Amino acid sequence: LSTERFVGLANLLLEECATAGPGSAMVAEGLAEALAVRVLRDAPHRSNGMHGHEPRILRAIRLIEETAGAGLDVERMARAAGMSRFHFSRVFREATGTSPYQYILNVRLAHAAERLRGGHASVTEAALDAGFTDFGRFAAHFQRRFGCLPSQFVATARSARRIARIA
């Protein structure tokens, strides 16, 4: 699903939530589910699906997932894996198909999205919890990753929860 289609689904969900016609709850629920599937499919792979990778890389991936990537950098991951930074970066990319930095960033963004989706955190809290201190940078990365600003993501999630309660 392309970013444009994702944004289109999100906009349809918002429109559906704004109208209260027959079947709108069912349509909104289906759209919310389609959006959730998109986010899950785009989420970084979990280590339990990476059984063929070198144990040192799996150790680094577990570290990323346990800390939600907050406060981690490639140097610390390389130390956890017992490798030089250069060697670690090369082996990590071969094992995961992405750079260590990008993997960390994806985990942090997925963590923030999960906090926002649950409705238990503000955008600021979710950003800080995921290790972002520059909110403009967080918003830009979030928009690139999910196709909408964090505040739009919150509004969509809130509308979906409201529709689900009514249905």
Side-chain angles (χ1 to χ4, degrees), residues 16-56:
E16 200 60 43
C17 290
T19 61
S24 63
M26 191 178 345
V27 171
E29 190 174 310
L31 289 168
E33 188 173 323
L35 287 168
V37 167
R38 164 64 197 269
V39 169
L40 289 173
R41 284 184 178 163
D42 285 351
H45 300 291
R46 298 290 180 204
S47 58
N48 61 6
M50 304 179 85
H51 56 276
H53 294 310
E54 187 191 305
R56 295 182 295 176

Side-chain angles (χ1 to χ4, degrees), residues 31 40 60 68 80 84 105 118 121-122 126 137-138 152 159:
L31 289 168
L40 289 173
S84 72
L105 183 61
S122 68
R137 188 167 169 251
F138 168 67
Q152 294 167 320
S159 295

Side-chain angles (χ1 to χ4, degrees), residues 53-76:
H53 294 310
E54 187 191 305
R56 295 182 295 176
I57 297 300
L58 291 175
R59 200 173 332 145
I61 290 171
R62 275 194 298 277
L63 178 64
I64 295 168
E65 292 175 355
E66 288 168 3
T67 63
L72 275 182
D73 59 16
V74 178
E75 188 66 41
R76 183 169 166 209

